[in-house]
Amino acid sequence: MTKKILVTGGAGYIGSHTCVALIEAGFEVVVVDNLVNSSIESLRRVEKITGQFIRFYRGDITNKADLKRVFEDHNFYAVIHFAGLKSVADSVEFPLRYYQQNVFGTLCLLEAMQQQACSKIVFSSSATVYGEPASLPILETFPTNPQSPYGRSKLFIEQIIDDYCQAEKQASSIILRYFNPVGAHPSGEIGEDPLGIPNNLMPYICQVASGQREFLSIYGDDYATTDGTGVRDYIHVVDLAEAHVKAVDKINQVDQVQWFNIGRGQGYSVKDLIQAFEQTNGIRIKTSIQPRRDGDIAEYWADPSLARQELGWKATRDLKQMVKDAWHWQQKNPKGYEE
Ligand code: NAD
Ligand code: UDP
């Protein structure tokens, strides 16, 4: 029988790519999303790519009645939990909103799962839970020390899920700590669609390339890194989506909770990314060196070998593929899903 997966936040950037990967792997997908940071059009595009209908509920995970409706209509094999707010800067300004949406939202979700005896959850965590690492690459066993309300909301949720899985015999969870997801589906049908001015590097580069922004600010060129600019572990969103399929495949063998870093294990600087974009896509990116951005860490990248050993997952798409697919999406959808 086809296994049914509930994808919370499935209309979002990573969620929509994961819906494609799940459907291609033979799962049935149901999405709940309040569309606060996404568009229903993303799911129409997922349907276009896969040729499969997606059952969609416009609902809020902090609303127990919304969740009850979803769980009463279906029997889920597992939940993949993406729904939440993700801006570090906003979380500093509006911490209560972040704890309400992310932490309370997850409590509501776990309660709804418990009531319907749905006991498996894959959770979207983030490398930001590590804070400034003492050494590189980062292993799952490193101490956690998140530096923002957003990062702390992720860590609190990890701990809540852990406590829940200790208490409930049947429950199990896989927690994926993503490094820096970028790029888009190679079809150019789905991709990252930030509201307003992008905070993240890749969407900003794309908007400079398309003429929507004049230049890219490089936040600091005086870090103790290879070329002075910040270094991150960029990972293609389709590789990341595939990690979720592997996690769902593995979850019934997990005893309580397992944590995995999801990255490529390779650091690239801001200048590396710009150069790869320029060379691959044949477009110059105008830049301006600016002061460091508050709260930024000089460099970090993952040791993803645990995911390779235990999940049988490994990222296969390189930086060139990431910048190519990001630009393809941008060119095909200059205004995101709005058109
Ligand atoms: P996104 O904003 O594109 O997707 C999140 C989705 O959740 C959106 O569709 C939004 O409408 C929905 N949502 C938000 N609050 C909700 C609520 N209360 N009820 C129902 N739906 C709600 O973000 P994304 O980049 O796809 O990230 C997905 C998850 O991965 C998030 O939890 C994020 O924190 C985490 N994550 C993202 C990154 C990244 O760089 N993109 C890195 C690490 C972790
Ligand atoms: N960055 C930059 N200009 C921008 C956005 C980001 O120079 O307009 C840098 C940032 O300082 C960091 C890297 O690009 O070194 C990745 O930033 P992003 O916001 O994409 O990811 P995060 O900081 O959350 O890892």
Side-chain angles (χ1 to χ4, degrees), residues 88 128 179-180 182 198-205 216-220 223 229-232 234 269-270 273 292-293 296-298 300:
V88 169
T128 193
F179 281 66
N180 286 61
V182 295
N199 286 314
N200 297 113
L201 181 59
M202 184 73 97
Y204 207 104
I205 291 178
L216 170 78
S217 297
I218 296 180
Y219 296 134
Y223 285 107
T229 65
V231 170
R232 297 287 183 273
Y234 296 99
S269 73
V270 175
L273 201 74
R292 294 179 180 191
R293 189 169 65 176
D296 269 0
I297 288 169
Y300 59 83

PDB file of all heavy atoms in Angstrom, residues 88 128 179-180 182 198-205 216-220 223 229-232 234 269-270 273 292-293 296-298 300, ligand 2:
ATOM      1  N   VAL A  88      16.385  34.852  10.749  1.00  0.00           N
ATOM      2  CA  VAL A  88      17.157  35.108  11.974  1.00  0.00           C
ATOM      3  C   VAL A  88      16.919  36.548  12.436  1.00  0.00           C
ATOM      4  O   VAL A  88      16.641  36.803  13.611  1.00  0.00           O
ATOM      5  CB  VAL A  88      18.668  34.851  11.719  1.00  0.00           C
ATOM      6  CG1 VAL A  88      19.503  35.360  12.879  1.00  0.00           C
ATOM      7  CG2 VAL A  88      18.916  33.368  11.473  1.00  0.00           C
ATOM      8  N   THR A 128      22.404  26.274  12.427  1.00  0.00           N
ATOM      9  CA  THR A 128      22.514  27.420  13.330  1.00  0.00           C
ATOM     10  C   THR A 128      22.442  26.998  14.808  1.00  0.00           C
ATOM     11  O   THR A 128      22.859  27.755  15.685  1.00  0.00           O
ATOM     12  CB  THR A 128      21.442  28.479  12.965  1.00  0.00           C
ATOM     13  OG1 THR A 128      21.751  29.683  13.626  1.00  0.00           O
ATOM     14  CG2 THR A 128      20.050  28.068  13.365  1.00  0.00           C
ATOM     15  N   PHE A 179      22.533  22.592   6.363  1.00  0.00           N
ATOM     16  CA  PHE A 179      23.507  23.672   6.229  1.00  0.00           C
ATOM     17  C   PHE A 179      22.892  24.734   5.298  1.00  0.00           C
ATOM     18  O   PHE A 179      21.832  25.228   5.634  1.00  0.00           O
ATOM     19  CB  PHE A 179      24.883  23.093   5.883  1.00  0.00           C
ATOM     20  CG  PHE A 179      25.523  22.559   7.160  1.00  0.00           C
ATOM     21  CD1 PHE A 179      24.963  21.455   7.830  1.00  0.00           C
ATOM     22  CD2 PHE A 179      26.566  23.217   7.786  1.00  0.00           C
ATOM     23  CE1 PHE A 179      25.458  21.020   9.068  1.00  0.00           C
ATOM     24  CE2 PHE A 179      27.082  22.788   9.015  1.00  0.00           C
ATOM     25  CZ  PHE A 179      26.519  21.692   9.646  1.00  0.00           C
ATOM     26  N   ASN A 180      23.461  25.110   4.175  1.00  0.00           N
ATOM     27  CA  ASN A 180      22.862  26.229   3.424  1.00  0.00           C
ATOM     28  C   ASN A 180      22.190  25.776   2.124  1.00  0.00           C
ATOM     29  O   ASN A 180      22.855  25.680   1.095  1.00  0.00           O
ATOM     30  CB  ASN A 180      23.922  27.295   3.138  1.00  0.00           C
ATOM     31  CG  ASN A 180      24.279  28.105   4.365  1.00  0.00           C
ATOM     32  OD1 ASN A 180      24.763  27.547   5.356  1.00  0.00           O
ATOM     33  ND2 ASN A 180      24.025  29.381   4.336  1.00  0.00           N
ATOM     34  N   VAL A 182      20.434  25.880  -1.313  1.00  0.00           N
ATOM     35  CA  VAL A 182      20.337  26.839  -2.436  1.00  0.00           C
ATOM     36  C   VAL A 182      19.905  26.086  -3.692  1.00  0.00           C
ATOM     37  O   VAL A 182      19.816  24.862  -3.698  1.00  0.00           O
ATOM     38  CB  VAL A 182      21.691  27.553  -2.713  1.00  0.00           C
ATOM     39  CG1 VAL A 182      22.107  28.439  -1.552  1.00  0.00           C
ATOM     40  CG2 VAL A 182      22.787  26.550  -3.045  1.00  0.00           C
ATOM     41  N   PRO A 198      15.693  39.922  -0.467  1.00  0.00           N
ATOM     42  CA  PRO A 198      16.234  38.666   0.080  1.00  0.00           C
ATOM     43  C   PRO A 198      17.300  38.912   1.151  1.00  0.00           C
ATOM     44  O   PRO A 198      18.091  39.840   1.043  1.00  0.00           O
ATOM     45  CB  PRO A 198      16.873  37.989  -1.138  1.00  0.00           C
ATOM     46  CG  PRO A 198      16.413  38.732  -2.338  1.00  0.00           C
ATOM     47  CD  PRO A 198      15.999  40.090  -1.894  1.00  0.00           C
ATOM     48  N   ASN A 199      17.290  38.068   2.176  1.00  0.00           N
ATOM     49  CA  ASN A 199      18.339  38.112   3.197  1.00  0.00           C
ATOM     50  C   ASN A 199      19.509  37.232   2.800  1.00  0.00           C
ATOM     51  O   ASN A 199      20.638  37.483   3.184  1.00  0.00           O
ATOM     52  CB  ASN A 199      17.808  37.556   4.533  1.00  0.00           C
ATOM     53  CG  ASN A 199      16.867  38.513   5.212  1.00  0.00           C
ATOM     54  OD1 ASN A 199      17.169  39.702   5.303  1.00  0.00           O
ATOM     55  ND2 ASN A 199      15.729  38.013   5.653  1.00  0.00           N
ATOM     56  N   ASN A 200      19.200  36.160   2.075  1.00  0.00           N
ATOM     57  CA  ASN A 200      20.219  35.146   1.803  1.00  0.00           C
ATOM     58  C   ASN A 200      20.986  35.445   0.529  1.00  0.00           C
ATOM     59  O   ASN A 200      20.498  36.111  -0.379  1.00  0.00           O
ATOM     60  CB  ASN A 200      19.578  33.750   1.726  1.00  0.00           C
ATOM     61  CG  ASN A 200      18.959  33.362   3.047  1.00  0.00           C
ATOM     62  OD1 ASN A 200      17.746  33.243   3.144  1.00  0.00           O
ATOM     63  ND2 ASN A 200      19.764  33.190   4.072  1.00  0.00           N
ATOM     64  N   LEU A 201      22.192  34.907   0.490  1.00  0.00           N
ATOM     65  CA  LEU A 201      23.137  35.241  -0.577  1.00  0.00           C
ATOM     66  C   LEU A 201      22.647  34.839  -1.971  1.00  0.00           C
ATOM     67  O   LEU A 201      22.641  35.671  -2.890  1.00  0.00           O
ATOM     68  CB  LEU A 201      24.483  34.562  -0.255  1.00  0.00           C
ATOM     69  CG  LEU A 201      25.607  34.818  -1.244  1.00  0.00           C
ATOM     70  CD1 LEU A 201      25.919  36.297  -1.369  1.00  0.00           C
ATOM     71  CD2 LEU A 201      26.862  34.044  -0.809  1.00  0.00           C
ATOM     72  N   MET A 202      22.260  33.577  -2.160  1.00  0.00           N
ATOM     73  CA  MET A 202      21.953  33.127  -3.530  1.00  0.00           C
ATOM     74  C   MET A 202      20.768  33.862  -4.157  1.00  0.00           C
ATOM     75  O   MET A 202      20.881  34.342  -5.296  1.00  0.00           O
ATOM     76  CB  MET A 202      21.732  31.608  -3.553  1.00  0.00           C
ATOM     77  CG  MET A 202      21.500  31.066  -4.938  1.00  0.00           C
ATOM     78  SD  MET A 202      23.000  31.047  -5.928  1.00  0.00           S
ATOM     79  CE  MET A 202      23.480  29.350  -5.689  1.00  0.00           C
ATOM     80  N   PRO A 203      19.629  34.003  -3.454  1.00  0.00           N
ATOM     81  CA  PRO A 203      18.548  34.758  -4.081  1.00  0.00           C
ATOM     82  C   PRO A 203      18.928  36.206  -4.360  1.00  0.00           C
ATOM     83  O   PRO A 203      18.474  36.786  -5.351  1.00  0.00           O
ATOM     84  CB  PRO A 203      17.387  34.662  -3.083  1.00  0.00           C
ATOM     85  CG  PRO A 203      17.889  33.963  -1.885  1.00  0.00           C
ATOM     86  CD  PRO A 203      19.211  33.349  -2.201  1.00  0.00           C
ATOM     87  N   TYR A 204      19.789  36.764  -3.526  1.00  0.00           N
ATOM     88  CA  TYR A 204      20.211  38.152  -3.774  1.00  0.00           C
ATOM     89  C   TYR A 204      21.044  38.230  -5.056  1.00  0.00           C
ATOM     90  O   TYR A 204      20.836  39.103  -5.905  1.00  0.00           O
ATOM     91  CB  TYR A 204      21.001  38.709  -2.576  1.00  0.00           C
ATOM     92  CG  TYR A 204      20.872  40.213  -2.491  1.00  0.00           C
ATOM     93  CD1 TYR A 204      20.042  40.811  -1.553  1.00  0.00           C
ATOM     94  CD2 TYR A 204      21.556  41.040  -3.393  1.00  0.00           C
ATOM     95  CE1 TYR A 204      19.887  42.184  -1.510  1.00  0.00           C
ATOM     96  CE2 TYR A 204      21.407  42.410  -3.360  1.00  0.00           C
ATOM     97  CZ  TYR A 204      20.575  42.987  -2.410  1.00  0.00           C
ATOM     98  OH  TYR A 204      20.419  44.348  -2.379  1.00  0.00           O
ATOM     99  N   ILE A 205      21.977  37.284  -5.208  1.00  0.00           N
ATOM    100  CA  ILE A 205      22.799  37.251  -6.432  1.00  0.00           C
ATOM    101  C   ILE A 205      21.892  37.136  -7.662  1.00  0.00           C
ATOM    102  O   ILE A 205      22.085  37.833  -8.663  1.00  0.00           O
ATOM    103  CB  ILE A 205      23.799  36.062  -6.389  1.00  0.00           C
ATOM    104  CG1 ILE A 205      24.865  36.302  -5.326  1.00  0.00           C
ATOM    105  CG2 ILE A 205      24.446  35.840  -7.744  1.00  0.00           C
ATOM    106  CD1 ILE A 205      25.871  35.154  -5.165  1.00  0.00           C
ATOM    107  N   LEU A 216      25.418  43.565  -5.253  1.00  0.00           N
ATOM    108  CA  LEU A 216      25.397  42.684  -4.084  1.00  0.00           C
ATOM    109  C   LEU A 216      26.325  43.251  -3.019  1.00  0.00           C
ATOM    110  O   LEU A 216      27.499  43.546  -3.310  1.00  0.00           O
ATOM    111  CB  LEU A 216      25.893  41.283  -4.490  1.00  0.00           C
ATOM    112  CG  LEU A 216      26.144  40.341  -3.316  1.00  0.00           C
ATOM    113  CD1 LEU A 216      24.845  39.770  -2.776  1.00  0.00           C
ATOM    114  CD2 LEU A 216      27.075  39.198  -3.727  1.00  0.00           C
ATOM    115  N   SER A 217      25.836  43.399  -1.797  1.00  0.00           N
ATOM    116  CA  SER A 217      26.719  43.775  -0.689  1.00  0.00           C
ATOM    117  C   SER A 217      27.414  42.521  -0.198  1.00  0.00           C
ATOM    118  O   SER A 217      26.762  41.525   0.109  1.00  0.00           O
ATOM    119  CB  SER A 217      25.903  44.343   0.480  1.00  0.00           C
ATOM    120  OG  SER A 217      25.253  45.520   0.091  1.00  0.00           O
ATOM    121  N   ILE A 218      28.734  42.579  -0.162  1.00  0.00           N
ATOM    122  CA  ILE A 218      29.489  41.471   0.444  1.00  0.00           C
ATOM    123  C   ILE A 218      29.741  41.885   1.891  1.00  0.00           C
ATOM    124  O   ILE A 218      30.437  42.870   2.154  1.00  0.00           O
ATOM    125  CB  ILE A 218      30.821  41.223  -0.301  1.00  0.00           C
ATOM    126  CG1 ILE A 218      30.544  40.779  -1.741  1.00  0.00           C
ATOM    127  CG2 ILE A 218      31.675  40.194   0.447  1.00  0.00           C
ATOM    128  CD1 ILE A 218      31.799  40.518  -2.567  1.00  0.00           C
ATOM    129  N   TYR A 219      29.157  41.136   2.805  1.00  0.00           N
ATOM    130  CA  TYR A 219      29.231  41.521   4.216  1.00  0.00           C
ATOM    131  C   TYR A 219      30.544  41.063   4.846  1.00  0.00           C
ATOM    132  O   TYR A 219      30.596  40.032   5.491  1.00  0.00           O
ATOM    133  CB  TYR A 219      28.044  40.951   4.978  1.00  0.00           C
ATOM    134  CG  TYR A 219      26.707  41.489   4.534  1.00  0.00           C
ATOM    135  CD1 TYR A 219      25.628  40.635   4.307  1.00  0.00           C
ATOM    136  CD2 TYR A 219      26.513  42.860   4.344  1.00  0.00           C
ATOM    137  CE1 TYR A 219      24.390  41.124   3.909  1.00  0.00           C
ATOM    138  CE2 TYR A 219      25.288  43.349   3.937  1.00  0.00           C
ATOM    139  CZ  TYR A 219      24.236  42.484   3.716  1.00  0.00           C
ATOM    140  OH  TYR A 219      23.018  42.967   3.316  1.00  0.00           O
ATOM    141  N   GLY A 220      31.570  41.846   4.640  1.00  0.00           N
ATOM    142  CA  GLY A 220      32.868  41.599   5.281  1.00  0.00           C
ATOM    143  C   GLY A 220      33.824  40.851   4.373  1.00  0.00           C
ATOM    144  O   GLY A 220      33.472  39.805   3.827  1.00  0.00           O
ATOM    145  N   TYR A 223      37.410  38.520   7.205  1.00  0.00           N
ATOM    146  CA  TYR A 223      37.345  37.324   8.061  1.00  0.00           C
ATOM    147  C   TYR A 223      38.622  36.508   7.877  1.00  0.00           C
ATOM    148  O   TYR A 223      39.287  36.604   6.830  1.00  0.00           O
ATOM    149  CB  TYR A 223      36.151  36.438   7.674  1.00  0.00           C
ATOM    150  CG  TYR A 223      34.806  36.962   8.123  1.00  0.00           C
ATOM    151  CD1 TYR A 223      33.913  37.495   7.198  1.00  0.00           C
ATOM    152  CD2 TYR A 223      34.420  36.902   9.461  1.00  0.00           C
ATOM    153  CE1 TYR A 223      32.660  37.961   7.601  1.00  0.00           C
ATOM    154  CE2 TYR A 223      33.175  37.364   9.871  1.00  0.00           C
ATOM    155  CZ  TYR A 223      32.302  37.895   8.937  1.00  0.00           C
ATOM    156  OH  TYR A 223      31.070  38.347   9.344  1.00  0.00           O
ATOM    157  N   THR A 229      36.125  36.465   2.893  1.00  0.00           N
ATOM    158  CA  THR A 229      34.652  36.505   2.948  1.00  0.00           C
ATOM    159  C   THR A 229      34.126  35.246   3.650  1.00  0.00           C
ATOM    160  O   THR A 229      34.834  34.241   3.774  1.00  0.00           O
ATOM    161  CB  THR A 229      34.037  36.645   1.528  1.00  0.00           C
ATOM    162  OG1 THR A 229      34.330  35.469   0.755  1.00  0.00           O
ATOM    163  CG2 THR A 229      34.581  37.880   0.811  1.00  0.00           C
ATOM    164  N   GLY A 230      32.876  35.316   4.077  1.00  0.00           N
ATOM    165  CA  GLY A 230      32.272  34.229   4.869  1.00  0.00           C
ATOM    166  C   GLY A 230      32.192  32.921   4.088  1.00  0.00           C
ATOM    167  O   GLY A 230      31.957  32.923   2.874  1.00  0.00           O
ATOM    168  N   VAL A 231      32.398  31.821   4.802  1.00  0.00           N
ATOM    169  CA  VAL A 231      32.391  30.494   4.158  1.00  0.00           C
ATOM    170  C   VAL A 231      31.229  29.659   4.702  1.00  0.00           C
ATOM    171  O   VAL A 231      31.016  29.591   5.915  1.00  0.00           O
ATOM    172  CB  VAL A 231      33.736  29.775   4.401  1.00  0.00           C
ATOM    173  CG1 VAL A 231      33.669  28.314   3.967  1.00  0.00           C
ATOM    174  CG2 VAL A 231      34.863  30.501   3.656  1.00  0.00           C
ATOM    175  N   ARG A 232      30.491  29.025   3.775  1.00  0.00           N
ATOM    176  CA  ARG A 232      29.341  28.189   4.144  1.00  0.00           C
ATOM    177  C   ARG A 232      29.361  26.889   3.351  1.00  0.00           C
ATOM    178  O   ARG A 232      29.976  26.793   2.300  1.00  0.00           O
ATOM    179  CB  ARG A 232      28.018  28.915   3.808  1.00  0.00           C
ATOM    180  CG  ARG A 232      27.786  30.207   4.567  1.00  0.00           C
ATOM    181  CD  ARG A 232      27.444  29.954   6.023  1.00  0.00           C
ATOM    182  NE  ARG A 232      27.164  31.192   6.735  1.00  0.00           N
ATOM    183  CZ  ARG A 232      28.085  31.960   7.331  1.00  0.00           C
ATOM    184  NH1 ARG A 232      29.373  31.628   7.271  1.00  0.00           N
ATOM    185  NH2 ARG A 232      27.733  33.059   7.978  1.00  0.00           N
ATOM    186  N   TYR A 234      27.202  25.104   1.119  1.00  0.00           N
ATOM    187  CA  TYR A 234      25.993  25.202   0.291  1.00  0.00           C
ATOM    188  C   TYR A 234      25.594  23.824  -0.216  1.00  0.00           C
ATOM    189  O   TYR A 234      26.440  23.032  -0.618  1.00  0.00           O
ATOM    190  CB  TYR A 234      26.243  26.157  -0.887  1.00  0.00           C
ATOM    191  CG  TYR A 234      26.502  27.563  -0.399  1.00  0.00           C
ATOM    192  CD1 TYR A 234      27.809  28.055  -0.286  1.00  0.00           C
ATOM    193  CD2 TYR A 234      25.453  28.377   0.012  1.00  0.00           C
ATOM    194  CE1 TYR A 234      28.061  29.326   0.207  1.00  0.00           C
ATOM    195  CE2 TYR A 234      25.690  29.651   0.503  1.00  0.00           C
ATOM    196  CZ  TYR A 234      26.993  30.120   0.603  1.00  0.00           C
ATOM    197  OH  TYR A 234      27.223  31.384   1.107  1.00  0.00           O
ATOM    198  N   SER A 269      33.363  30.217  -0.164  1.00  0.00           N
ATOM    199  CA  SER A 269      33.250  31.603   0.292  1.00  0.00           C
ATOM    200  C   SER A 269      32.213  32.348  -0.541  1.00  0.00           C
ATOM    201  O   SER A 269      31.765  31.866  -1.593  1.00  0.00           O
ATOM    202  CB  SER A 269      34.609  32.294   0.167  1.00  0.00           C
ATOM    203  OG  SER A 269      34.884  32.548  -1.201  1.00  0.00           O
ATOM    204  N   VAL A 270      31.878  33.557  -0.071  1.00  0.00           N
ATOM    205  CA  VAL A 270      30.961  34.420  -0.831  1.00  0.00           C
ATOM    206  C   VAL A 270      31.552  34.655  -2.220  1.00  0.00           C
ATOM    207  O   VAL A 270      30.855  34.553  -3.246  1.00  0.00           O
ATOM    208  CB  VAL A 270      30.736  35.760  -0.090  1.00  0.00           C
ATOM    209  CG1 VAL A 270      29.890  36.712  -0.926  1.00  0.00           C
ATOM    210  CG2 VAL A 270      30.081  35.523   1.273  1.00  0.00           C
ATOM    211  N   LEU A 273      31.182  31.699  -4.542  1.00  0.00           N
ATOM    212  CA  LEU A 273      29.815  31.546  -5.075  1.00  0.00           C
ATOM    213  C   LEU A 273      29.578  32.537  -6.222  1.00  0.00           C
ATOM    214  O   LEU A 273      29.021  32.170  -7.266  1.00  0.00           O
ATOM    215  CB  LEU A 273      28.805  31.770  -3.949  1.00  0.00           C
ATOM    216  CG  LEU A 273      27.427  31.184  -4.195  1.00  0.00           C
ATOM    217  CD1 LEU A 273      27.452  29.678  -4.043  1.00  0.00           C
ATOM    218  CD2 LEU A 273      26.406  31.749  -3.219  1.00  0.00           C
ATOM    219  N   ARG A 292      30.859  43.787   8.147  1.00  0.00           N
ATOM    220  CA  ARG A 292      30.302  42.475   8.511  1.00  0.00           C
ATOM    221  C   ARG A 292      28.854  42.618   8.950  1.00  0.00           C
ATOM    222  O   ARG A 292      28.479  43.647   9.527  1.00  0.00           O
ATOM    223  CB  ARG A 292      31.098  41.881   9.679  1.00  0.00           C
ATOM    224  CG  ARG A 292      32.525  41.541   9.326  1.00  0.00           C
ATOM    225  CD  ARG A 292      33.213  40.995  10.563  1.00  0.00           C
ATOM    226  NE  ARG A 292      34.608  40.656  10.279  1.00  0.00           N
ATOM    227  CZ  ARG A 292      35.376  39.971  11.111  1.00  0.00           C
ATOM    228  NH1 ARG A 292      34.915  39.572  12.281  1.00  0.00           N
ATOM    229  NH2 ARG A 292      36.628  39.685  10.797  1.00  0.00           N
ATOM    230  N   ARG A 293      28.061  41.577   8.696  1.00  0.00           N
ATOM    231  CA  ARG A 293      26.670  41.576   9.143  1.00  0.00           C
ATOM    232  C   ARG A 293      26.645  41.089  10.589  1.00  0.00           C
ATOM    233  O   ARG A 293      27.305  40.102  10.917  1.00  0.00           O
ATOM    234  CB  ARG A 293      25.879  40.637   8.223  1.00  0.00           C
ATOM    235  CG  ARG A 293      24.386  40.658   8.390  1.00  0.00           C
ATOM    236  CD  ARG A 293      23.675  39.905   7.268  1.00  0.00           C
ATOM    237  NE  ARG A 293      23.957  38.471   7.257  1.00  0.00           N
ATOM    238  CZ  ARG A 293      23.393  37.601   6.430  1.00  0.00           C
ATOM    239  NH1 ARG A 293      22.522  38.020   5.539  1.00  0.00           N
ATOM    240  NH2 ARG A 293      23.698  36.328   6.478  1.00  0.00           N
ATOM    241  N   ASP A 296      26.953  37.244  12.134  1.00  0.00           N
ATOM    242  CA  ASP A 296      27.490  36.257  11.179  1.00  0.00           C
ATOM    243  C   ASP A 296      28.731  35.564  11.727  1.00  0.00           C
ATOM    244  O   ASP A 296      29.574  36.186  12.383  1.00  0.00           O
ATOM    245  CB  ASP A 296      27.854  36.935   9.852  1.00  0.00           C
ATOM    246  CG  ASP A 296      26.697  36.916   8.868  1.00  0.00           C
ATOM    247  OD1 ASP A 296      25.629  36.385   9.219  1.00  0.00           O
ATOM    248  OD2 ASP A 296      26.875  37.441   7.745  1.00  0.00           O
ATOM    249  N   ILE A 297      28.838  34.279  11.418  1.00  0.00           N
ATOM    250  CA  ILE A 297      30.006  33.485  11.795  1.00  0.00           C
ATOM    251  C   ILE A 297      30.926  33.433  10.578  1.00  0.00           C
ATOM    252  O   ILE A 297      30.459  33.414   9.436  1.00  0.00           O
ATOM    253  CB  ILE A 297      29.538  32.085  12.238  1.00  0.00           C
ATOM    254  CG1 ILE A 297      28.838  32.193  13.601  1.00  0.00           C
ATOM    255  CG2 ILE A 297      30.686  31.084  12.289  1.00  0.00           C
ATOM    256  CD1 ILE A 297      28.106  30.942  14.025  1.00  0.00           C
ATOM    257  N   ALA A 298      32.254  33.432  10.810  1.00  0.00           N
ATOM    258  CA  ALA A 298      33.205  33.471   9.696  1.00  0.00           C
ATOM    259  C   ALA A 298      33.019  32.282   8.760  1.00  0.00           C
ATOM    260  O   ALA A 298      32.862  32.443   7.550  1.00  0.00           O
ATOM    261  CB  ALA A 298      34.632  33.486  10.243  1.00  0.00           C
ATOM    262  N   TYR A 300      31.707  27.894   8.442  1.00  0.00           N
ATOM    263  CA  TYR A 300      31.337  26.578   8.953  1.00  0.00           C
ATOM    264  C   TYR A 300      30.909  25.649   7.837  1.00  0.00           C
ATOM    265  O   TYR A 300      30.368  26.082   6.831  1.00  0.00           O
ATOM    266  CB  TYR A 300      30.276  26.646  10.061  1.00  0.00           C
ATOM    267  CG  TYR A 300      28.959  27.289   9.749  1.00  0.00           C
ATOM    268  CD1 TYR A 300      27.943  26.569   9.124  1.00  0.00           C
ATOM    269  CD2 TYR A 300      28.696  28.605  10.118  1.00  0.00           C
ATOM    270  CE1 TYR A 300      26.709  27.144   8.871  1.00  0.00           C
ATOM    271  CE2 TYR A 300      27.475  29.185   9.864  1.00  0.00           C
ATOM    272  CZ  TYR A 300      26.491  28.454   9.236  1.00  0.00           C
ATOM    273  OH  TYR A 300      25.277  29.030   8.975  1.00  0.00           O
TER     274      TYR A 300
HETATM  275  N1  UDP B   2      26.099  37.392   2.465  1.00  0.00           N
HETATM  276  C1  UDP B   2      26.584  38.497   1.792  1.00  0.00           C
HETATM  277  N2  UDP B   2      25.687  39.335   1.192  1.00  0.00           N
HETATM  278  C2  UDP B   2      24.340  39.122   1.216  1.00  0.00           C
HETATM  279  C3  UDP B   2      23.853  37.968   1.900  1.00  0.00           C
HETATM  280  C4  UDP B   2      24.760  37.150   2.523  1.00  0.00           C
HETATM  281  O1  UDP B   2      27.785  38.739   1.744  1.00  0.00           O
HETATM  282  O2  UDP B   2      23.562  39.916   0.655  1.00  0.00           O
HETATM  283  C5  UDP B   2      27.062  36.460   3.100  1.00  0.00           C
HETATM  284  C6  UDP B   2      26.869  36.253   4.584  1.00  0.00           C
HETATM  285  O3  UDP B   2      27.620  37.220   5.302  1.00  0.00           O
HETATM  286  C7  UDP B   2      27.390  34.821   4.783  1.00  0.00           C
HETATM  287  C8  UDP B   2      27.042  34.132   3.463  1.00  0.00           C
HETATM  288  O4  UDP B   2      26.846  35.192   2.515  1.00  0.00           O
HETATM  289  O5  UDP B   2      28.796  34.817   4.909  1.00  0.00           O
HETATM  290  C9  UDP B   2      25.779  33.298   3.521  1.00  0.00           C
HETATM  291  O6  UDP B   2      24.734  34.093   4.014  1.00  0.00           O
HETATM  292  P1  UDP B   2      23.212  33.596   4.047  1.00  0.00           P
HETATM  293  O7  UDP B   2      22.402  34.685   4.652  1.00  0.00           O
HETATM  294  O8  UDP B   2      22.827  33.113   2.697  1.00  0.00           O
HETATM  295  O9  UDP B   2      23.278  32.317   4.996  1.00  0.00           O
HETATM  296  P2  UDP B   2      23.625  32.214   6.580  1.00  0.00           P
HETATM  297  O10 UDP B   2      24.340  33.455   6.996  1.00  0.00           O
HETATM  298  O11 UDP B   2      22.307  32.061   7.230  1.00  0.00           O
HETATM  299  O12 UDP B   2      24.495  31.028   6.689  1.00  0.00           O
END
